[in-house]
Amino acid sequence: MSATISYKISTPKPHTHYFHVELLIKNREESILDLSMAVWTPGSYMIREYAKNVEQLEALDDIGKSLEIIKISKSKWQINTSSKSVVVRYRLYAFEETVRTCFLNEEHASIIPAALYIFPEKFDGPIQIEITPQHSWKKISTSLQVVGGDMWHLIAPNKDILIDSPIEIGNHHVQKFEASDVEHELAIYGEGNYDIEKIIVDIKKIVEAEVKVFNHHPCKTDKDANNKYVFILQNTANGRGGLEHLFSTSLIFKRLGYTPESSYQEFISLVSHEYFHLWNVKRLRPAALGP
């Protein structure tokens, strides 16, 4: 039987800005377990210090005995054990509001996967994610597939897809629409002076124009695609940024920046830019940028 891994993510006290993460590894065969955290995120190709936000890292074997964790570099850990099952638990501090970092407060949770997950280096099979949100949060937006109709239970076919699939959790506004025969979802956190109907009309134009350039849509043709693309938009006081992913994008824009028209054009240009990365950079790219 091959090894399996799964994550449980919870936000019991979101006002403290800590995600609680549990990694369960089953059916192991190696005597040494090497764990890593990413040092760069897809779409932002610079060295990042994500591991600095990890606290209270601990590991248990299959009978609940505590295991020694040896930190061998700033983002790598090693556990000497022949236990078939290992549970790894940690807290992750998340209070930096950008498209390349995780953020958590009383209102919502934004997961940039490279900044959240510690993972076993030698594993690259399907990965299940179970999320327990703050009790008043009712919505989740991500390009990951849902398991068994439970929106809080997700699956990634491999580590690369896991790291390349951001997640928005809370009570954000969700608008779904179709463009170029692909289901699109626009998830908007935060109030703003935006006109949702105008944004949808313009995004449809962008999608159709860019699909014509390449004559295909990756969300329909890629082997791991599920005919869906997700825009995750966070409205903040003065932010602006975007990060491309395989089947989604994370965007931040100033909440009162949708008017006048010149400022709105800045926003819609950001959307167009990130969507174009579906092809350029995500599929047409230097080999060093992935998987």
Side-chain angles (χ1 to χ4, degrees):
M1 185 179 295
S2 58
T4 64
I5 70 171
S6 60
Y7 291 91
K8 291 183 178 180
I9 303 168
S10 60
T11 57
K13 297 179 179 180
H15 64 281
T16 65
H17 317 301
Y18 279 99
F19 285 99
H20 291 228
V21 183
E22 179 177 294
L23 163 63
L24 174 59
I25 309 164
K26 292 183 177 181
N27 304 317
R28 296 182 58 253
E29 295 183 355
E30 299 85 0
S31 59
I32 296 177
L33 175 59
D34 291 313
L35 299 171
S36 292
M37 196 168 194
V39 294
W40 58 271
T41 184
S44 182
Y45 305 99
M46 295 175 63
I47 296 297
R48 304 293 179 185
E49 305 294 342
Y50 293 134
K52 68 181 174 61
N53 293 318
V54 173
E55 298 183 15
Q56 298 181 359
L57 181 64
E58 63 174 0
L60 305 173
D61 66 11
D62 48 14
I63 61 171
K65 181 182 177 181
S66 181
L67 297 170
E68 181 184 10
I69 302 175
I70 303 169
K71 190 167 187 178
I72 57 177
S73 73
K74 66 180 181 180
S75 59
K76 294 180 184 291
W77 300 264
Q78 193 172 83
I79 302 172
N80 294 306
T81 180
S82 57
S83 177
K84 294 293 184 182
S85 298
V86 175
V87 175
V88 178
R89 298 191 183 113
Y90 58 96
R91 300 198 312 166
L92 185 116
Y93 186 69
F95 199 53
E96 186 178 358
E97 206 166 29
T98 76
V99 294
R100 63 181 181 274
T101 52
C102 296
F103 184 84
L104 175 65
N105 66 7
E106 302 95 321
E107 296 182 353
H108 77 126
S110 175
I111 294 176
I112 299 298
L116 180 70
Y117 297 112
I118 292 175
F119 51 84
E121 287 190 346
K122 295 180 180 179
F123 181 87
D124 201 29
I127 301 160
Q128 299 211 28
I129 307 102
E130 183 180 333
I131 297 173
T132 302
Q134 196 268 351
H135 64 88
S136 65
W137 294 347
K138 306 301 181 185
K139 296 180 181 179
I140 180 170
S141 294
T142 180
S143 60
L144 290 172
Q145 291 190 0
V146 170
V147 177
D150 179 1
M151 67 179 180
W152 304 111
H153 189 183
L154 309 168
I155 190 167
N158 53 57
K159 192 181 341 180
D160 191 42
I161 301 295
L162 175 77
I163 295 297
D164 217 352
S165 302
I167 303 172
E168 176 69 21
I169 305 167
N171 294 313
H172 49 281
H173 182 81
V174 174
Q175 190 80 24
K176 296 183 179 181
F177 60 96
E178 189 173 290
S180 292
D181 298 320
V182 172
E183 178 186 331
H184 288 71
E185 179 177 321
L186 175 59
I188 306 179
Y189 161 74
E191 299 301 319
N193 62 347
Y194 57 85
D195 181 336
I196 187 68
E197 293 183 3
K198 180 179 181 181
I199 290 176
I200 298 283
V201 168
D202 288 336
I203 289 179
K204 286 183 177 181
K205 292 178 182 177
I206 288 169
V207 172
E208 291 163 2
E210 295 187 5
V211 168
K212 285 182 180 179
V213 173
F214 295 98
N215 201 31
H216 83 289
H217 200 297
C219 291
K220 292 195 293 185
T221 58
D222 281 19
K223 66 179 180 67
D224 294 315
N226 58 358
N227 204 41
K228 179 182 179 181
Y229 184 91
V230 180
F231 297 92
I232 297 174
L233 171 61
Q234 297 181 65
N235 287 312
T236 63
N238 295 300
R240 184 193 187 283
L243 205 62
E244 70 270 14
H245 295 282
L246 276 169
F247 306 110
S248 59
T249 185
S250 295
L251 306 167
I252 285 182
F253 201 69
K254 43 189 179 288
R255 60 173 59 95
L256 299 180
Y258 299 93
T259 59
E261 183 65 20
S262 58
S263 184
Y264 174 74
Q265 287 300 319
E266 180 185 348
F267 165 73
I268 213 67
S269 294
L270 174 65
V271 173
S272 177
H273 174 102
E274 297 305 329
Y275 202 82
F276 197 76
H277 280 315
L278 253 182
W279 298 271
N280 185 36
V281 176
K282 293 313 299 179
R283 274 86 186 173
L284 305 172
R285 55 172 172 72
L289 295 188

